Amino acid sequence: MVIVGIEGGKNEVVTSPKKMRRVLDLIPSNNLQVIYDPTNYLSITNFKDQDEIIKDAFNLFRDRIVVMHAKDFVVSNGKIITVAAGKGRLNYKLILKLLKDKKPFINILLEDIKEVDMDESMRFIENVYSRV
């Protein structure tokens, strides 16, 4: 058996949680799973609505999330810039609460991170996860 992971994002074909749900409905196989990266769905026009976007994702495809990418974002010069997890504006408290409630044993992969930030980002995620 092969598991295929699909990742959506603003620069991809699957640009929203609703489009991800549509893909999953078009290919109704449990072998197609989601690599969930909450930052990928955020843009300069919608980042202030991140809580609703995060909740939509969990409502639409939480049962198919196989792994989560962890990175963060800041807004600079009218652009979304990715940074190490815990160094930006992503609502990790909400995301990790939803993961803990719905997908407690999921793997979280650090992404877009420099080696110097790895330990701090891991501690950040562990700390938030333990408190939600």
Side-chain angles (χ1 to χ4, degrees):
M1 176 172 77
V2 173
I3 301 292
V4 175
I6 184 171
E7 182 175 3
K10 62 188 175 293
N11 297 322
E12 309 295 334
V13 174
V14 183
T15 57
S16 71
K18 287 178 180 72
K19 287 184 180 180
M20 178 63 77
R21 181 71 253 170
R22 184 167 177 251
V23 169
L24 296 172
D25 290 342
L26 289 171
I27 307 169
S29 170
N30 282 333
N31 291 11
L32 180 62
Q33 298 286 312
V34 175
I35 301 166
Y36 178 52
D37 187 329
T39 304
N40 280 4
Y41 291 112
L42 302 178
S43 68
I44 197 66
T45 60
N46 72 3
F47 74 92
K48 292 179 183 175
D49 301 320
Q50 68 170 299
D51 289 0
E52 289 75 32
I53 295 166
I54 292 164
K55 290 174 188 174
D56 279 349
F58 273 84
N59 287 333
L60 292 167
F61 55 79
R62 75 172 166 255
D63 59 321
R64 301 286 280 281
I65 297 173
V66 68
V67 70
M68 187 183 106
H69 282 168
K71 63 185 177 212
D72 217 321
F73 76 94
V74 294
V75 177
S76 178
N77 297 322
K79 295 180 182 176
I80 296 284
I81 308 294
T82 58
V83 295
K87 295 190 174 265
R89 299 175 66 167
L90 190 63
N91 187 349
Y92 270 97
K93 185 175 179 182
L94 173 61
I95 293 164
L96 294 176
K97 171 78 170 119
L98 291 167
L99 281 176
K100 193 173 195 177
D101 290 347
K102 309 297 182 191
K103 303 289 282 191
F105 301 106
I106 196 162
N107 289 313
I108 299 173
L109 306 176
L110 296 176
E111 186 178 53
D112 284 350
I113 191 166
K114 296 177 180 144
E115 185 176 351
V116 68
D117 294 322
M118 286 181 140
D119 289 338
E120 185 179 354
S121 286
M122 287 185 346
R123 281 192 304 272
F124 168 78
I125 290 169
E126 290 169 347
N127 184 41
V128 173
Y129 190 87
S130 71
R131 292 174 183 237
V132 294

